[in-house]
Amino acid sequence: MADKKQFKAESQRLLDLMINSIYTHKEIFLRELISNASDASDKLYYKALTEKINGISRDDLSIQIVINKDHRMLSIIDQGIGMNEQELEEHLGTIANSGSFEFKNALEKGEADVDIIGQFGVGFYSAFMVAHKVEVISKKYGEDKGYIWESDTSDGYTIQEFDYPSHGTRINLYLKENTDDENYDQYLDEYEIQRLVKKYSDYVHYPIEMDMTTSKKKEDSDEYEQVIEHRTLNSMVPLWKRPKKDITQEDYNEFYKDKFNDFSDPLCVMHNSVEGTISYDSLLFIPSQPPMNYYSQDYEKGLQLYSRGVFIMDKASELVPEHFRFVKGLVDSQDLSLNISREMLQHDRQLKLIADKIEKRIQSELEKMLKNDREKYEEFFKSFGLQLKFGVYNSYGMLKDKLQDLLLFYSANNKKMITFNEYVEAMKEDQKEIYFASGESVEKIDHLPTVEMVKDKGFDILYLTDNVDEFCLQMLRDYKEKAFKNINQGDLDIESDEEKKELEKVNESNKDLLETLKEALKDQVQDVKVSSRLKSHPVCLVSGEGVSFEMEKVLNQMPDGQNIKAGRILEINPNHQIFTALQSIFEKDKEKVKDYASLLYDQALLIEGFTIDDPVGFSNKVCALMVEANK
Ligand SMILES: Nc1ncnc2c1ncn2[C@@H]1O[C@H](COP(=O)(O)OP(=O)(O)OP(=O)(O)O)[C@@H](O)[C@H]1O
């Protein structure tokens, strides 16, 4: 049998490769080193707990950051478990060897409240992204000798004995010189370090402390002096880890405004701790208004992602579905790794599970709000209803079951927003379809000639005022087996059998007149008919099945609009005086009626909100009529 051999790796090249490719942002080195310091403190705390060592309390442990501008040196110091010679060799001399991972595996679940972060054994090397030389001075708890591990990566590392007063580890980073592209000096700036700690390590549960220079007013004088204060930079306990009963609405509001740069309080807060195959905490917010850039390309959806309180990334877009892209917030999971990258995110099974749960959570919150707090829901819908409608449309109706009951439309009868369900519940027994009409605004739709008769017969109509509305209904097709019906399109079928018969008779006896009008309008209309859907108005224009007028307008506004046209049918009210007038003119002068055909058609176009082809011709014909009336 052939010998089995180990893969060999050129460790220097592997290190270079790793330093330059694992992390996109150099600044995360600080997060990695602080996480290691926190792990080391946890390990000591755990040891003290399990071996009943007196004199070590969690409250005494802290992480110190020291800036030494003269030596271009940044130090991260912990009072944790420390490393002996062998451990320095194993953990820092071997890439991808994680002492923390071994430690975590050896822990019995639930044995102590420790929150080990490290698991891959690569984070430490991120220090070389900003430092040309790194020193690790460490003394293991309970041992006499301290050691110094040194490396500038080019020719490996050295380990020597070193006199270090107490247990724990001090990492000294000698920062690289600035280049044209990179400013390494920023890591010597107190405020920049403070910013990075706040951004990435705010919730590490040991205090991260540093000397900060501030100016203070002198006592009894107007002069200022520079003073050095030893400050804690992190807030330690994340809001989402605090027991819910201890958090006030005010706490949530302040947290939201501060973290997500909003001036207004959120409309809704969802705070959850989930335990199970995957455990996580989530804190989600629905803003009260859409951000300025919400309906533009600039808006980026996503939730902040934390692993054990340590920040991994802003805007993890995989965590919220497109139709709920207005939700802001964060997810913190102990089951995720710090080294997760954007590319890995898309394939991460754990993350997919979290995303599914988050979607369900938002969905049920909205359903609950709609049921229990209608006013608030309507406020929400005013801000983000459009997003839900786009959700239906963009998914080609696949989200029908999830979203249809969250939609609201203006109801002509109720004069307020209602759901499909409310519409259907109030439907007349013999009503087969859900009626709707589209237009620019509720007021304009209300004035459409066709609306009058439908309302008069006691049917409710939903008014559609957003461009996406008709497309959304088209994707939904029906609700509880009731199809959606545009009252301005095709046959309406709202008349009784008797009325139908009567209409047929009128159509038949005026066949010649209607034919003549149709001929006069040539290709402009598909048909001219007497109407059953008009009450007081003389004419209306309806579209044939397929594309409606509103769709025609929207489609033609698009950059690649292909001049789509809805089929036009001119309908004349047989009970209007105009019809009697047409009949008598037709008897006297067949040619004359052709002039009136274009007048009626143009009127109908104007009512529908279209422009007319020949406004001058239209105006001349109106004037001629007036002159004639005076003869
Ligand atoms: N400050 C420290 N005190 C004690 N041990 C440390 C310290 N920093 C690093 N170590 C040891 O070195 C190991 C390697 O650290 P490194 O940051 O490379 O990886 P990690 O923290 O285990 O995992 P990750 O890559 O996920 O951060 C750690 O697991 C730990 O055992």
Side-chain angles (χ1 to χ4, degrees), residues 393-442:
Y393 176 65
N394 291 335
S395 66
Y396 301 103
M398 303 237 289
L399 297 174
K400 175 179 167 127
D401 289 345
K402 288 183 179 169
L403 298 182
Q404 62 183 356
D405 284 313
L406 292 177
L407 301 180
L408 297 180
F409 290 97
Y410 183 89
S411 139
N413 277 2
N414 298 281
K415 298 197 170 26
K416 61 174 191 159
M417 305 294 277
I418 62 164
T419 61
F420 289 137
N421 197 42
E422 285 160 351
Y423 183 101
V424 169
E425 296 276 294
M427 253 162 92
K428 298 214 273 180
E429 223 169 90
D430 56 343
Q431 187 180 342
K432 295 184 214 70
E433 292 168 312
I434 298 173
Y435 297 122
F436 71 86
S438 306
E440 236 171 79
S441 64
V442 164

Coordinates of all heavy atoms in Angstrom, one line a residue, residues 393-442:
Y393 N -45.5 41.9 -6.2 CA -45.2 42.0 -7.6 C -43.9 41.4 -8.0 O -43.8 40.5 -8.9 CB -45.2 43.5 -8.0 CG -44.9 43.7 -9.5 CD1 -45.7 43.2 -10.5 CD2 -43.7 44.4 -9.8 CE1 -45.4 43.4 -11.8 CE2 -43.4 44.5 -11.1 CZ -44.2 44.0 -12.1 OH -43.9 44.2 -13.4
N394 N -42.8 41.7 -7.2 CA -41.5 41.2 -7.6 C -41.3 39.7 -7.5 O -40.5 39.1 -8.1 CB -40.4 41.9 -6.8 CG -40.3 43.4 -7.1 OD1 -40.6 43.7 -8.3 ND2 -39.8 44.2 -6.2
S395 N -42.2 39.1 -6.6 CA -42.1 37.7 -6.4 C -43.0 36.9 -7.4 O -43.2 35.7 -7.2 CB -42.4 37.3 -5.0 OG -43.7 37.6 -4.7
Y396 N -43.6 37.7 -8.3 CA -44.5 37.1 -9.3 C -45.7 36.3 -8.5 O -46.1 35.3 -8.9 CB -43.9 36.1 -10.2 CG -42.8 36.8 -11.0 CD1 -41.4 36.6 -10.7 CD2 -43.1 37.6 -12.1 CE1 -40.4 37.2 -11.4 CE2 -42.1 38.2 -12.8 CZ -40.8 38.0 -12.5 OH -39.8 38.7 -13.1
G397 N -46.1 36.9 -7.4 CA -47.2 36.3 -6.7 C -46.8 35.2 -5.7 O -47.7 34.7 -5.0
M398 N -45.5 34.8 -5.7 CA -45.2 33.7 -4.8 C -45.4 34.0 -3.3 O -45.5 33.1 -2.5 CB -43.7 33.3 -5.0 CG -43.4 33.0 -6.5 SD -42.7 31.4 -6.7 CE -41.1 31.7 -5.9
L399 N -45.4 35.3 -3.0 CA -45.5 35.7 -1.6 C -47.0 36.0 -1.3 O -47.3 36.6 -0.3 CB -44.7 36.9 -1.3 CG -43.2 36.7 -1.4 CD1 -42.4 38.0 -1.2 CD2 -42.7 35.7 -0.4
K400 N -47.9 35.6 -2.2 CA -49.3 35.9 -2.1 C -49.8 35.5 -0.6 O -50.4 36.4 0.0 CB -50.1 35.1 -3.1 CG -51.6 35.2 -3.0 CD -52.3 34.4 -4.1 CE -53.7 34.3 -3.8 NZ -54.6 34.7 -4.8
D401 N -49.6 34.3 -0.2 CA -50.1 33.9 1.1 C -49.6 34.7 2.2 O -50.2 34.9 3.2 CB -49.8 32.4 1.3 CG -50.7 31.5 0.4 OD1 -51.6 32.1 -0.2 OD2 -50.3 30.3 0.2
K402 N -48.3 35.1 2.1 CA -47.7 35.8 3.2 C -48.2 37.2 3.2 O -48.3 37.8 4.3 CB -46.2 35.8 3.0 CG -45.6 34.5 3.3 CD -44.1 34.6 3.2 CE -43.4 33.2 3.5 NZ -42.0 33.2 3.1
L403 N -48.3 37.8 2.1 CA -48.5 39.3 2.1 C -50.0 39.8 1.8 O -50.3 40.9 2.2 CB -47.6 39.9 1.1 CG -46.1 39.7 1.3 CD1 -45.3 40.4 0.3 CD2 -45.7 40.3 2.7
Q404 N -50.8 39.0 1.2 CA -52.1 39.5 0.8 C -52.9 40.1 1.9 O -53.6 41.1 1.8 CB -52.9 38.5 0.0 CG -53.3 37.3 0.7 CD -54.0 36.3 -0.1 OE1 -54.3 36.5 -1.3 NE2 -54.3 35.1 0.4
D405 N -52.8 39.5 3.1 CA -53.6 39.9 4.2 C -53.0 41.1 4.9 O -53.6 41.7 5.9 CB -53.9 38.8 5.2 CG -54.9 37.9 4.7 OD1 -56.0 38.4 4.2 OD2 -54.7 36.6 4.7
L406 N -51.8 41.5 4.5 CA -51.2 42.7 5.1 C -51.5 44.0 4.3 O -51.0 45.1 4.6 CB -49.7 42.5 5.2 CG -49.2 41.4 6.2 CD1 -47.7 41.3 6.2 CD2 -49.7 41.8 7.6
L407 N -52.1 43.8 3.1 CA -52.3 45.0 2.2 C -53.6 45.7 2.6 O -54.6 45.2 3.1 CB -52.4 44.5 0.8 CG -51.2 43.7 0.2 CD1 -51.5 43.3 -1.2 CD2 -50.0 44.5 0.3
L408 N -53.5 47.0 2.4 CA -54.7 47.9 2.6 C -54.9 48.7 1.4 O -54.0 49.2 0.7 CB -54.4 48.9 3.8 CG -54.2 48.3 5.2 CD1 -53.9 49.5 6.1 CD2 -55.4 47.5 5.7
F409 N -56.2 48.9 1.0 CA -56.6 49.8 -0.1 C -57.7 50.7 0.4 O -58.5 50.3 1.3 CB -57.0 49.0 -1.3 CG -55.8 48.3 -1.9 CD1 -55.5 47.0 -1.7 CD2 -54.9 49.0 -2.8 CE1 -54.4 46.4 -2.2 CE2 -53.8 48.4 -3.4 CZ -53.6 47.1 -3.1
Y410 N -57.9 51.9 -0.2 CA -58.9 52.8 0.1 C -60.3 52.2 -0.3 O -60.4 51.8 -1.5 CB -58.6 54.1 -0.5 CG -59.7 55.2 -0.1 CD1 -59.5 56.0 1.0 CD2 -60.8 55.4 -0.9 CE1 -60.4 56.9 1.4 CE2 -61.7 56.4 -0.6 CZ -61.5 57.1 0.6 OH -62.5 58.1 0.9
S411 N -61.2 52.3 0.6 CA -62.6 51.7 0.2 C -63.5 52.9 -0.1 O -63.7 53.8 0.8 CB -63.1 50.8 1.3 OG -64.4 51.0 1.5
A412 N -64.2 52.8 -1.2 CA -65.1 53.9 -1.6 C -66.3 54.0 -0.6 O -66.7 55.1 -0.2 CB -65.7 53.7 -3.0
N413 N -66.8 52.8 -0.1 CA -67.9 52.8 0.8 C -67.5 53.3 2.2 O -68.2 54.0 2.8 CB -68.5 51.4 0.9 CG -69.5 51.1 -0.2 OD1 -69.7 52.0 -1.1 ND2 -70.0 49.9 -0.2
N414 N -66.4 52.8 2.7 CA -66.0 53.1 4.1 C -65.2 54.4 4.2 O -65.0 54.8 5.3 CB -65.1 51.9 4.6 CG -65.9 50.6 4.6 OD1 -66.6 50.4 5.5 ND2 -65.7 49.8 3.6
K415 N -64.7 54.9 3.1 CA -63.9 56.1 3.1 C -62.7 56.0 4.0 O -62.3 56.9 4.7 CB -64.8 57.3 3.5 CG -65.9 57.6 2.5 CD -66.4 59.0 2.7 CE -67.4 59.4 1.6 NZ -68.2 58.4 1.0
K416 N -62.1 54.8 4.0 CA -60.9 54.6 4.7 C -60.2 53.3 4.2 O -60.8 52.6 3.3 CB -61.1 54.4 6.2 CG -62.0 53.3 6.6 CD -62.1 53.1 8.1 CE -62.8 51.8 8.4 NZ -62.7 51.2 9.5
M417 N -59.0 53.0 4.7 CA -58.2 51.9 4.2 C -58.8 50.6 4.8 O -59.1 50.5 6.0 CB -56.8 52.0 4.6 CG -56.1 53.3 4.2 SD -55.9 53.4 2.4 CE -54.5 52.5 2.1
I418 N -59.0 49.6 3.9 CA -59.5 48.3 4.4 C -58.7 47.2 3.8 O -57.9 47.4 2.9 CB -61.0 48.1 4.1 CG1 -61.2 48.0 2.5 CG2 -61.9 49.1 4.7 CD1 -62.5 47.4 2.2
T419 N -58.8 46.0 4.4 CA -58.1 44.8 3.9 C -59.0 44.1 2.9 O -60.2 44.4 2.8 CB -57.8 43.8 5.0 OG1 -59.1 43.4 5.6 CG2 -56.9 44.4 6.1
F420 N -58.4 43.2 2.1 CA -59.2 42.4 1.2 C -60.3 41.6 2.0 O -61.4 41.5 1.5 CB -58.4 41.4 0.4 CG -57.5 42.0 -0.6 CD1 -56.1 41.6 -0.7 CD2 -57.9 43.1 -1.4 CE1 -55.3 42.2 -1.6 CE2 -57.1 43.6 -2.3 CZ -55.8 43.2 -2.5
N421 N -59.9 41.1 3.1 CA -60.8 40.3 3.9 C -62.0 41.1 4.3 O -63.1 40.7 4.2 CB -60.1 39.7 5.1 CG -60.9 38.6 5.7 OD1 -61.4 37.8 5.0 ND2 -61.0 38.6 7.0
E422 N -61.8 42.4 4.7 CA -62.9 43.2 5.1 C -63.8 43.5 4.0 O -65.0 43.6 4.1 CB -62.3 44.5 5.7 CG -61.8 44.3 7.1 CD -60.8 45.4 7.6 OE1 -60.4 46.3 6.8 OE2 -60.4 45.4 8.8
Y423 N -63.2 43.7 2.8 CA -64.0 43.9 1.6 C -64.9 42.7 1.3 O -66.1 42.8 1.1 CB -63.1 44.1 0.4 CG -63.8 44.4 -0.9 CD1 -63.9 45.8 -1.4 CD2 -64.4 43.4 -1.7 CE1 -64.6 46.1 -2.5 CE2 -65.1 43.7 -2.8 CZ -65.2 45.0 -3.3 OH -65.9 45.3 -4.4
V424 N -64.2 41.5 1.3 CA -65.0 40.3 1.0 C -66.1 40.0 2.0 O -67.2 39.6 1.7 CB -64.0 39.1 0.9 CG1 -64.7 37.8 0.8 CG2 -63.1 39.3 -0.4
E425 N -65.8 40.2 3.3 CA -66.8 40.0 4.3 C -68.0 40.8 4.1 O -69.1 40.4 4.4 CB -66.2 40.3 5.7 CG -65.0 39.4 6.1 CD -65.5 38.2 6.8 OE1 -66.1 38.2 7.8 OE2 -65.3 37.1 6.1
A426 N -67.8 42.0 3.6 CA -69.0 43.0 3.4 C -69.6 42.9 2.1 O -70.5 43.6 1.8 CB -68.5 44.4 3.7
M427 N -69.2 41.9 1.2 CA -69.7 41.8 -0.1 C -71.1 41.4 -0.2 O -71.6 40.6 0.7 CB -68.8 40.8 -0.9 CG -67.9 41.3 -1.9 SD -66.6 40.2 -2.4 CE -67.3 39.4 -3.8
K428 N -71.9 41.8 -1.2 CA -73.2 41.4 -1.3 C -73.2 39.9 -1.7 O -72.2 39.4 -2.4 CB -73.9 42.2 -2.4 CG -74.0 43.6 -2.1 CD -75.3 44.3 -2.6 CE -75.2 44.8 -4.0 NZ -76.4 45.4 -4.5
E429 N -74.2 39.2 -1.4 CA -74.2 37.7 -1.6 C -74.0 37.4 -3.1 O -73.2 36.4 -3.4 CB -75.6 37.2 -1.2 CG -75.4 35.9 -0.4 CD -76.7 35.5 0.2 OE1 -77.5 34.8 -0.5 OE2 -77.0 35.9 1.3
D430 N -74.6 38.1 -4.0 CA -74.5 37.8 -5.4 C -73.2 38.4 -6.1 O -73.0 38.2 -7.3 CB -75.7 38.2 -6.2 CG -76.0 39.6 -6.0 OD1 -75.5 40.2 -5.0 OD2 -76.8 40.2 -6.8
Q431 N -72.4 39.1 -5.3 CA -71.3 39.8 -5.9 C -70.2 38.8 -6.1 O -69.8 38.0 -5.2 CB -70.8 40.9 -5.0 CG -69.7 41.7 -5.7 CD -69.1 42.9 -4.8 OE1 -69.8 43.2 -3.8 NE2 -68.0 43.4 -5.1
K432 N -69.7 38.7 -7.4 CA -68.7 37.6 -7.7 C -67.3 38.1 -7.7 O -66.4 37.4 -7.6 CB -69.0 37.1 -9.1 CG -70.4 36.4 -9.2 CD -70.5 35.7 -10.5 CE -72.0 35.7 -11.0 NZ -72.5 37.0 -11.4
E433 N -67.1 39.4 -7.9 CA -65.8 39.9 -8.0 C -65.5 41.1 -7.0 O -66.4 41.7 -6.5 CB -65.6 40.4 -9.4 CG -65.6 39.2 -10.4 CD -65.7 39.7 -11.9 OE1 -66.6 40.5 -12.2 OE2 -64.9 39.2 -12.7
I434 N -64.2 41.3 -6.9 CA -63.8 42.5 -6.1 C -63.5 43.6 -7.0 O -62.6 43.6 -7.9 CB -62.5 42.1 -5.3 CG1 -62.7 40.9 -4.3 CG2 -61.9 43.3 -4.5 CD1 -61.5 40.4 -3.6
Y435 N -64.3 44.7 -6.9 CA -64.2 45.8 -7.8 C -63.1 46.8 -7.4 O -62.9 47.1 -6.2 CB -65.5 46.6 -7.9 CG -66.6 45.7 -8.5 CD1 -67.8 45.5 -7.8 CD2 -66.4 45.1 -9.7 CE1 -68.8 44.6 -8.3 CE2 -67.4 44.3 -10.2 CZ -68.6 44.0 -9.5 OH -69.5 43.2 -10.0
F436 N -62.4 47.3 -8.4 CA -61.4 48.3 -8.1 C -61.4 49.3 -9.3 O -61.8 49.0 -10.4 CB -60.0 47.7 -7.9 CG -59.3 47.2 -9.1 CD1 -58.6 48.0 -9.9 CD2 -59.4 45.8 -9.4 CE1 -57.9 47.5 -11.0 CE2 -58.7 45.3 -10.5 CZ -58.0 46.1 -11.3
A437 N -60.9 50.5 -9.0 CA -60.7 51.5 -10.0 C -59.3 52.2 -9.7 O -58.9 52.3 -8.6 CB -61.8 52.6 -10.0
S438 N -58.6 52.6 -10.8 CA -57.3 53.2 -10.6 C -57.3 54.6 -11.0 O -58.0 55.0 -11.9 CB -56.3 52.4 -11.4 OG -56.3 51.1 -11.2
G439 N -56.4 55.4 -10.4 CA -56.2 56.8 -10.8 C -55.1 57.4 -10.0 O -54.5 56.7 -9.1
E440 N -54.9 58.7 -10.2 CA -53.8 59.4 -9.5 C -54.1 59.6 -8.1 O -53.2 59.5 -7.2 CB -53.7 60.8 -10.2 CG -52.4 61.1 -10.7 CD -52.5 62.4 -11.5 OE1 -52.5 63.4 -10.9 OE2 -52.6 62.3 -12.8
S441 N -55.3 59.9 -7.7 CA -55.7 60.1 -6.3 C -57.1 59.7 -6.1 O -57.9 59.5 -7.0 CB -55.6 61.6 -6.0 OG -56.6 62.3 -6.8
V442 N -57.4 59.6 -4.8 CA -58.7 59.1 -4.4 C -59.8 60.1 -5.0 O -60.8 59.6 -5.5 CB -58.8 59.1 -2.8 CG1 -60.3 59.0 -2.3 CG2 -58.0 57.9 -2.3

